[in-house]
Amino acid sequence: MRNLLFILTSVFLFSACESEQKESSSINPINWEKRRVTLPEQDSLKKAKTYLGIYSEIYSTSEHLTHDLTVTVSLRNTSETQELVLTRGSYYDTTGKLIHTYFDFPIALKPLETVEIIIEEGDKTGGTGANFIFNWLDDPNVTDPIFESIMISTRGTQGLSFTTQGKRIE
């Protein structure tokens, strides 16, 4: 009887711990509002835009079988001395439908700072051809930022991982 009580208690505790780990952080793991900056009215910087393709799932063996992936989207300021100002970060699904706008106001990344957006493995809202569009302010005296993603999944002894890099479109 004592063993049965111990087993039931262990199962209950294990289940409670596991359910806590499944909370989703993919929608807004960063407090973007705390990064908000005010731009001067006479800002001379030009607007720029970068497209980044991601895959929250990929096809395997046929169009009917997919593997879910965890996606890490990195926004990297490559300047050693200047802040990077981003003005919008939006996430779209395979059909081009807007899923979520992470921020729609100016935010700053310190010199050489990296900020990440995580799309968790079970989140299939983006599909096999999801996209991000990042708007930012271009300073011709500073190096361009880097927008890239890393997709990964591991099951048993199988592991999948690959990266994509953003393409400046404006």
Side-chain angles (χ1 to χ4, degrees), residues 33-51:
E33 188 62 42
K34 286 185 177 180
R35 294 181 163 277
R36 184 188 286 257
V37 294
T38 303
L39 299 177
E41 289 184 28
Q42 297 298 324
D43 192 0
S44 63
L45 299 178
K46 294 184 178 182
K47 294 179 181 180
K49 189 180 290 188
T50 297
Y51 166 88

Side-chain angles (χ1 to χ4, degrees), residues 16-28:
C17 291
E18 189 171 313
S19 66
E20 286 176 21
Q21 294 173 356
K22 291 185 180 180
E23 288 183 24
S24 177
S25 65
S26 61
I27 292 299
N28 198 10

Side-chain angles (χ1 to χ4, degrees), residues 17-124:
C17 291
E18 189 171 313
S19 66
E20 286 176 21
Q21 294 173 356
K22 291 185 180 180
E23 288 183 24
S24 177
S25 65
S26 61
I27 292 299
N28 198 10
I30 296 172
N31 185 340
W32 298 105
E33 188 62 42
K34 286 185 177 180
R35 294 181 163 277
R36 184 188 286 257
V37 294
T38 303
L39 299 177
E41 289 184 28
Q42 297 298 324
D43 192 0
S44 63
L45 299 178
K46 294 184 178 182
K47 294 179 181 180
K49 189 180 290 188
T50 297
Y51 166 88
L52 176 67
I54 67 161
Y55 304 86
S56 53
E57 60 180 325
I58 57 172
Y59 294 108
S60 177
T61 66
S62 78
E63 65 182 290
H64 304 292
L65 179 63
T66 59
H67 288 283
D68 296 344
L69 303 169
T70 300
V71 181
T72 303
V73 175
S74 290
L75 304 98
R76 298 174 178 263
N77 182 357
T78 61
S79 173
E80 295 178 84
T81 59
Q82 300 293 317
E83 280 191 339
L84 168 65
V85 176
L86 301 165
T87 57
R88 184 176 167 99
S90 297
Y91 179 37
Y92 300 85
D93 71 8
T94 301
T95 66
K97 178 183 171 195
L98 178 65
I99 295 171
H100 184 72
T101 297
Y102 285 84
F103 55 93
D104 193 13
F105 46 82
I107 66 166
L109 271 63
K110 296 179 286 195
L112 296 177
E113 183 177 17
T114 299
V115 174
E116 297 167 334
I117 296 170
I118 308 299
I119 309 296
E120 293 180 359
E121 186 170 336
D123 184 346
K124 295 183 178 188

